[in-house]
Amino acid sequence: MNQKIHTMESDLVRQSAATLASAIRQGDVTSEQVTAAHLDRIEQVDPSVHAFLYVNREQSLKRAREVDRGIAEGNISSPLAGVPIALKDLLATKGVPTTCGSRILEGWRPPYNATIVERLEAAGVVSLGKTNMDEFAMGSSTEHSGYGPTRNPWDLERIPGGSGGGSAAALASFQAPLAIGTDTGGSIRQPAAVTGTVGVKPTYGGVSRYGIVALASSLDQAGPCARDVMDTALLHSIIAGHDPRDSTSINSPVPDVIQAAQSADVRGMKIGVIKQLQGEGFQRGVLEQFNAALDLLAGLGAEIIEVSCEHFQYALGAYYLILPSEASSNLARFDGMRFGIRRGDDGTNSVEQVMSATREAGFGAEVKRRIMLGTYALSSGYYDAYYGQAQKIRTLIKRDFESAFLHVDALVSPTAPTTAFKIGEKLDDPLAMYLNDIATIPVNLAGNCAMSLPIGLAPEDGLPVGLQIIAPAMADDRLYRVGSALEAALVDQWGGLLIEEVPAL
Amino acid sequence: MTSTAFDHVMTEFEPVIGLETHIELGTHTKMFCGCSTEFGGDPNTHVCPVCLGLPGSMPAVNRTAVESTIRMGLALSCSIAPWSRFARKNYFYPDMPKNYQISQYDEPLCINGFLDVTVITEDGPKVFRVEIERVHMEEDTGKLTHGGGAGRIHGATHSLVDYNRAGIPLIEVVTKPISGTGSLAPEVAKAYVAELRELMRALGVSDVRMEEGSLRCDVNVSLSRPGQSWGTRTETKNVNSLRSVERAVRTEMVRQAERLRNGDRIIQETRHFNEETGNTTSGRSKEQAEDYRYFPEPDLIPVAPSEEWVNELRTTLPEIPSVRRARLQQVWDISDFDMASVVNAGALDLIEQTIDSGVSEQAARKWWMGEFSRIANERGCDLVDLPVQPLDIRQVESLIASGDLTDKLARSVFEGVIAGEGSVAEVISLRELKVVSDDSSLIAAIDQALSDQPDIAEKIKSGKIQASGAIVGAVMKATKGQADAAKVRALLLEQLGVSE
Ligand SMILES: [Zn+2]
């Protein structure tokens, strides 16, 4: 990190956010130069990756110059001041198109900023644009985007995960050093795993949801994405904290994630391996790398204990009742009346017909599927059997975590059962697609926090494998303690971050 | 509809009624955002991402609205739930920005209370205890204006939406079924809503401006033959005035009785009330009723008022209006009828304040119920809106007591005050409204009148005392009515040496 920074574009885009911020602070490089380097990179590689849905070069450069001025005048001082970022297109950005990956919102420019966006602006983090995603965050491959799929920089024929595939692919292809994702059932962690990047789903309520278009309100959580643990922690510290506009946001101090990321120390920690999240359904190379990582953790002084979470087997079923139920209601507002597209308004149709035609034209198949599922699950006469039962499962899963955390400080599992699959491979099989999130979903149901970080390449396909670390609610710092220790050990092994192995584009 | 038709209902049927009353709370900001609740304003000027339901926006509960609801619950003797939740009521309609309404469903804030209401009957006042099932909070919707067609969404060429009202906090008070009222059901319904309104005003949680549509009632009615189980009910929606509540119950009772007598069944349905005709018309039947797919609002944490907070709010409760009325009626020693008139005129507070300022009970009532009510009526405004204060009455009353004003002059003073001519003192000086009590100036005026009308003077002298009216009249005119007529008459007779 203390190497002298070169202002050559190819160098700038490969630096960590922390390195860039430090160079900007010291006047070695300007935010404008760093931003321009990333914008150039986007122009160069994004036609083949398709991570971004919207980029406005002039706007980003103008903002970078303002930040440069702010830093020079001492008005902006944050650990990431001047560093560019990619924002998932689920975040409301004032005056900037926000589509949520859906055709129904085509052309909508929100009149307000999400709280996260405000915090990033105040911290002098410069937005590069909005990233691609599965429509309304429904999916695990970014194939369900209304604007075409994003490709995985490790293999352009493969998916970058989802729903936040755009953000993860932007990081893995060096188009952005930082990104914001959102995670309802794994949408930050699974893309991180399959792209060899780092992503954290903070504790539910740890980061404000205000201005993030809701998929399933009780599960959604925005979080930081980056290429290493420290950058993730720095970003986490900027976006986290209480927001009175989100009444589900937690009003207590943010755990010291930066200090935890510096510690790199797991000595004496008890780390639980979840019995239910290995074995059948998990790719061989994924398990191999996972077990190697466990050995590494043990070697670093952690005590590895197997724990059982009996009710995890019901998690997927409960999730696919709760999520569609909430989504069916959250997405009701997309009716062509106030924003986005409108269809059928030719003077011959009733308001119901216009609403219906708009939704028919604007929503993709997966969104319609989930709206129908949710509408059904909430219907009178079915509510108790579906939504009601799912909530009970949720409570049981929460209890599984609680009893596990009586014995261990953190839990680990593979983040996703497989490495990145081929584009189109699972498109016709929703259930196979849903199984991608088998290991990540329980965390959303329980509301605690988790990280995915790269632990190696699967021998059989040479694609990245992610490890998931899970900690109790409001113990987000533990993710960074375990993550930084493991990352440091792996970097020692490899002589650098795994992402440096990504093929050149 | 004739009263005979109504009387006829009662020969065969007994009604059960139920009321769901929605009242706008008087908070300055909306239920879930910081927008102003002020009435009027250009369309869509009191809006923000939250009350427009823009993607990504989130509600945050208005604490004052919760406080008002708890106080209302306490005043209705409800239990306050230590834990209650908001729910989403899902249905598509363009006046609803989110296509769901945030309301409370199976976990309301206040449950199981009651409100005693008094109905005046031929046999004197009769008290009914109306049991309250629940009191909860919800948000209002926007307002649609339909163009082209008949003012309805069907057949309209276009519709305009104003979201200023969207998100205004509402309180909904739901009664349990009210039975045993017999033919008094319409009056009980009206008295209940009136009492609810008084209670909200007394609590200061809403000024309940019915003309602005801030109180809306859904009226449930069913009929059954004595001794039989309750009949099928209908729900008449959006009944917006006290008079309409009474009429809606009455018409619906008559309509249902007719159907039942003809052997037709009552369809469980919602009905619309026509303000002009007083009739109800069929709306949506239960069979085609919407499934609102209620579920707990995941964007809001539960409302869990602490016991301390509830107890603290309990200490802020004013005297319950019915208790207060009974007390004042006793103190003022007036009939049920007079008391009812005072309440109906909205004069209770004003009279009480006037008495408190030192005016006699009788005088206070006389001014407010007489002269002021007449003026308010002429102006078509409420008594409370007249620019006259209890202290003005006190000032005028003490001038009357000291003989400086007559009743007639006092009326003129108030006329001036209400017309905005100034304070009591200013009006008196402006209009020169002082009683002329100086004997010498009165005698001078009498002398003048006598010399102007010598024939009258002679008549009086000859004992035709009734003729003195002409001279008194002339003197009153000369003194611009500021003399005491009785005094003028006495001085005149004395002057002429005539005795009665
Ligand atoms: Zn608002």
Side-chain angles (χ1 to χ4, degrees):
Chain A
M1 267 211 241
N2 46 16
Q3 77 212 49
K4 179 73 182 166
I5 192 145
H6 301 288
T7 54
M8 273 174 62
E9 176 210 297
S10 59
D11 265 324
L12 282 178
V13 298
R14 294 184 80 90
Q15 305 300 325
S16 75
T19 308
L20 290 171
S22 150
I24 293 168
R25 251 192 322 271
Q26 288 162 25
D28 295 339
V29 66
T30 63
S31 173
E32 186 181 6
Q33 286 169 315
V34 171
T35 304
H38 285 92
L39 289 164
D40 292 346
R41 174 79 181 167
I42 291 170
E43 271 174 32
Q44 181 204 333
V45 304
D46 208 43
S48 45
V49 177
H50 191 39
F52 283 88
L53 291 178
Y54 180 83
V55 176
N56 186 326
R57 188 182 179 94
E58 286 320 307
Q59 216 165 29
S60 295
L61 289 175
K62 181 167 166 270
R63 179 62 193 151
R65 286 190 292 271
E66 281 167 17
V67 170
D68 279 329
R69 219 166 22 249
I71 294 169
E73 288 164 2
N75 297 325
I76 300 174
S77 63
S78 87
L80 293 175
V83 180
I85 194 166
L87 303 173
K88 191 176 183 181
D89 205 23
L90 203 58
L91 276 69
T93 41
K94 192 173 178 177
V96 174
T98 300
T99 68
C100 307
S102 181
R103 289 284 174 186
I104 207 164
L105 270 181
E106 211 170 347
W108 184 55
R109 289 172 190 255
Y112 78 107
N113 274 327
T115 297
I116 289 193
V117 174
E118 282 181 357
R119 290 194 178 174
L120 289 170
E121 282 195 358
V125 181
V126 178
S127 170
L128 292 167
K130 310 291 288 288
T131 55
N132 199 12
M133 55 185 286
D134 286 299
E135 184 175 6
F136 288 108
M138 297 185 195
S140 309
S141 67
T142 317
E143 291 166 289
H144 295 305
S145 168
Y147 301 90
T150 297
R151 292 165 186 276
N152 191 327
W154 289 83
D155 176 350
L156 294 176
E157 295 307 306
R158 290 177 188 266
I159 58 102
S163 65
S167 284
L171 295 171
S173 55
F174 302 99
Q175 301 187 60
L178 298 169
I180 296 291
T182 68
D183 191 314
T184 304
S187 287
I188 287 176
R189 290 162 287 163
Q190 182 256 6
V194 300
T195 58
T197 58
V198 181
V200 165
K201 184 206 95 74
T203 299
Y204 182 78
V207 175
S208 170
R209 288 192 292 121
Y210 189 84
I212 296 166
V213 180
L215 164 55
S217 309
S218 73
L219 301 163
D220 295 346
Q221 184 59 209
C225 308
R227 287 188 293 259
D228 68 38
V229 172
M230 177 51 84
D231 281 0
T232 313
L234 293 171
L235 185 52
H236 190 136
S237 73
I238 285 171
I239 60 174
H242 181 242
D243 176 11
R245 290 183 296 185
D246 170 3
S247 50
T248 63
S249 106
I250 295 169
N251 192 1
S252 63
V254 180
D256 191 345
V257 292
I258 299 176
Q259 204 252 323
Q262 285 160 344
S263 73
D265 183 6
V266 288
R267 278 173 303 169
M269 276 186 96
K270 288 182 178 158
I271 293 174
V273 182
I274 302 167
K275 194 174 135 195
Q276 283 77 8
L277 296 181
Q278 45 188 320
E280 204 194 328
F282 285 78
Q283 191 180 317
R284 189 172 49 83
V286 168
L287 289 177
E288 272 176 38
Q289 291 297 351
F290 176 66
N291 289 324
L294 291 181
D295 292 344
L296 205 50
L297 281 169
L300 292 170
E303 187 185 343
I304 309 292
I305 301 165
E306 189 177 78
V307 298
S308 180
C309 295
E310 303 288 340
H311 299 97
F312 279 21
Q313 57 177 314
Y314 306 117
L316 199 69
Y319 177 81
Y320 277 102
L321 287 169
I322 293 169
L323 178 142
S325 296
E326 294 183 9
S328 71
S329 173
N330 282 331
L331 267 57
R333 71 191 65 193
F334 301 97
D335 59 5
M337 293 297 116
R338 290 160 298 274
F339 38 76
I341 62 162
R342 180 185 286 186
R343 292 287 181 271
D345 186 13
D346 58 4
T348 66
N349 291 316
S350 70
V351 67
E352 287 88 355
Q353 286 165 328
V354 171
M355 285 180 175
S356 178
T358 302
R359 291 165 71 81
E360 164 62 30
F363 287 143
E366 181 63 21
V367 172
K368 286 175 188 161
R369 173 160 36 236
R370 296 201 199 182
I371 288 175
M372 283 188 280
L373 275 172
T375 304
Y376 186 77
L378 288 177
S379 299
S380 149
Y382 297 99
Y383 179 90
D384 290 336
Y386 294 128
Y387 193 77
Q389 286 298 106
Q391 291 294 358
K392 285 182 195 158
I393 297 293
R394 194 168 185 174
T395 304
L396 294 172
I397 288 168
K398 225 175 259 184
R399 284 195 198 140
D400 276 355
F401 273 123
E402 278 161 13
S403 35
F405 286 125
L406 289 176
H407 308 292
V408 298
D409 301 302
L411 293 163
V412 290
S413 78
T415 307
T418 67
T419 55
F421 48 88
K422 288 241 167 67
I423 289 174
E425 193 180 316
K426 297 189 182 178
L427 213 44
D428 297 329
D429 188 353
L431 274 179
M433 190 74 96
Y434 295 170
L435 280 169
N436 266 288
D437 296 329
I438 190 117
T440 45
I441 278 171
V443 178
N444 299 80
L445 287 171
N448 43 357
C449 56
M451 169 190 280
S452 178
L453 81 163
I455 50 169
L457 304 175
E460 63 268 35
D461 54 20
L463 292 167
V465 174
L467 173 127
Q468 174 176 235
I469 306 161
I470 306 170
M474 290 313 274
D476 304 50
D477 49 335
R478 285 188 210 168
L479 307 176
Y480 291 95
R481 238 183 106 183
V482 178
S484 60
L486 193 52
E487 184 186 65
L490 289 166
V491 165
D492 274 353
Q493 235 175 47
W494 301 328
L497 291 170
L498 184 70
I499 196 67
E500 285 159 27
E501 306 297 315
V502 71
L505 281 169
Chain B
M1 181 207 326
T2 60
S3 59
T4 347
F6 182 74
D7 294 341
H8 195 46
V9 174
M10 299 313 301
T11 61
E12 225 176 315
F13 300 103
E14 283 176 353
V16 177
I17 58 172
L19 293 133
E20 291 169 26
T21 315
H22 308 252
I23 310 127
E24 271 180 22
L25 288 173
T27 55
H28 297 299
T29 55
K30 291 187 179 180
M31 186 73 224
F32 299 115
C33 64
C35 290
S36 167
T37 54
E38 207 182 315
F39 183 72
D42 287 339
N44 300 309
T45 50
H46 299 165
V47 291
C48 72
V50 176
C51 56
L52 283 177
L54 293 188
S57 66
M58 292 180 72
V61 174
N62 181 333
R63 188 180 155 93
T64 310
V66 176
E67 188 177 293
S68 297
T69 310
I70 293 175
R71 292 180 73 232
M72 188 66 182
L74 290 172
L76 290 168
S77 308
C78 288
S79 326
I80 308 304
W83 195 86
S84 87
R85 271 199 294 196
F86 283 98
R88 289 188 187 174
K89 181 181 183 178
N90 295 284
Y91 63 100
F92 282 84
Y93 209 71
D95 65 1
M96 284 228 306
K98 304 181 289 293
N99 284 323
Y100 59 79
Q101 180 192 28
I102 305 178
S103 178
Q104 290 196 290
Y105 180 50
D106 52 356
E107 294 155 310
L109 188 52
C110 320
I111 51 166
N112 295 334
F114 63 84
L115 184 62
D116 287 337
V117 302
T118 308
V119 175
I120 308 289
T121 72
E122 287 162 5
D123 307 330
K126 204 164 175 227
V127 177
F128 288 91
R129 172 154 296 188
V130 174
E131 290 190 88
I132 304 295
E133 171 141 336
R134 56 190 280 152
V135 181
H136 76 239
M137 299 164 278
E138 61 187 30
E139 56 176 343
D140 208 345
T141 60
K143 188 168 168 275
L144 281 169
T145 311
H146 305 296
R152 295 180 306 140
I153 195 161
H154 294 290
T157 53
H158 63 281
S159 302
L160 301 172
V161 205
D162 177 7
Y163 291 110
N164 282 354
R165 211 178 68 184
I168 299 258
L170 298 178
I171 197 172
E172 181 175 342
V173 183
V174 181
T175 69
K176 291 183 178 166
I178 309 163
S179 60
T181 57
S183 61
L184 292 174
E187 281 86 3
V188 170
K190 179 186 173 188
Y192 163 75
V193 177
E195 193 64 44
L196 209 55
R197 183 181 64 173
E198 283 307 303
L199 189 58
M200 296 202 67
R201 286 178 175 167
L203 288 165
V205 299
S206 170
D207 49 9
V208 198
R209 295 192 174 274
M210 294 176 93
E211 67 283 2
E212 292 173 8
S214 72
L215 183 146
R216 300 194 290 277
C217 235
D218 300 339
V219 178
N220 289 273
V221 176
S222 73
L223 293 184
S224 60
R225 292 192 165 82
Q228 295 189 355
S229 58
W230 291 347
T232 304
R233 68 187 165 84
T234 60
E235 183 180 17
T236 305
K237 291 285 214 188
N238 291 326
V239 186
N240 298 344
S241 72
L242 293 180
R243 179 165 168 264
S244 299
V245 167
E246 185 179 355
R247 285 169 88 202
V249 173
R250 200 178 289 275
T251 358
E252 195 47 24
M253 282 170 68
V254 171
R255 187 192 70 85
Q256 290 189 14
E258 267 168 23
R259 282 188 71 85
L260 291 171
R261 278 207 192 89
N262 293 337
D264 295 331
R265 70 184 185 104
I266 303 299
I267 301 157
Q268 187 169 349
E269 62 183 355
T270 58
R271 298 185 67 82
H272 301 301
F273 181 73
N274 186 316
E275 292 279 348
E276 271 138 51
T277 63
N279 289 328
T280 67
T281 49
S282 180
R284 208 173 44 219
S285 81
K286 182 74 180 172
E287 284 77 19
Q288 4 162 245
E290 284 213 51
D291 179 355
Y292 292 121
R293 290 174 284 120
Y294 282 102
F295 74 104
E297 165 59 280
D299 280 336
L300 291 170
I301 49 171
V303 178
S306 69
E307 220 177 302
E308 296 78 53
W309 190 32
V310 173
N311 287 334
E312 191 189 309
L313 292 176
R314 204 186 294 276
T315 64
T316 68
L317 295 185
E319 189 179 19
I320 300 302
S322 58
V323 173
R324 173 166 167 248
R325 281 199 306 275
R327 175 176 61 76
L328 291 176
Q329 189 182 349
Q330 202 180 13
V331 172
W332 297 350
D333 191 22
I334 59 175
S335 69
D336 293 334
F337 180 81
D338 284 349
M339 192 62 192
S341 311
V342 166
V343 172
N344 282 340
L348 198 70
D349 291 349
L350 297 165
I351 292 174
E352 193 187 24
Q353 287 160 14
T354 307
I355 292 167
D356 287 350
S357 77
V359 176
S360 77
E361 286 153 21
Q362 219 188 340
R365 270 199 306 124
K366 181 194 72 184
W367 282 114
W368 286 110
M369 297 304 293
E371 186 69 3
F372 298 164
S373 286
R374 188 184 59 77
I375 296 173
N377 238 336
E378 275 172 19
R379 297 185 151 209
C381 71
D382 288 333
L383 276 179
V384 70
D385 297 326
L386 290 181
V388 54
Q389 304 297 321
L391 278 175
D392 298 337
I393 302 175
R394 186 188 145 177
Q395 207 179 337
V396 167
E397 277 295 315
S398 60
L399 288 171
I400 293 173
S402 65
D404 289 322
L405 285 177
T406 60
D407 266 14
K408 187 165 169 255
L409 288 179
R411 278 200 291 277
S412 178
V413 171
F414 283 127
E415 205 181 273
V417 170
I418 291 169
E421 290 168 19
S423 66
V424 168
E426 284 162 356
V427 172
I428 287 174
S429 103
L430 190 77
R431 294 194 171 194
E432 300 175 353
L433 297 176
K434 216 51 169 183
V435 168
V436 180
S437 56
D438 178 4
D439 285 3
S440 59
S441 62
L442 283 179
I443 290 167
I446 291 169
D447 285 346
Q448 183 61 47
L450 287 172
S451 62
D452 287 350
Q453 306 176 70
D455 48 332
I456 303 285
E458 285 311 311
K459 276 187 185 172
I460 298 169
K461 277 185 202 162
S462 68
K464 287 186 176 165
I465 293 173
Q466 70 269 30
S468 63
I471 301 298
V472 173
V475 172
M476 294 305 284
K477 197 176 170 192
T479 57
K480 292 177 184 152
Q482 278 154 303
D484 182 338
K487 188 165 186 183
V488 172
R489 191 168 182 274
L491 279 173
L492 167 66
L493 296 182
E494 192 186 311
Q495 194 79 350
L496 296 176
V498 181
S499 62
E500 296 193 56

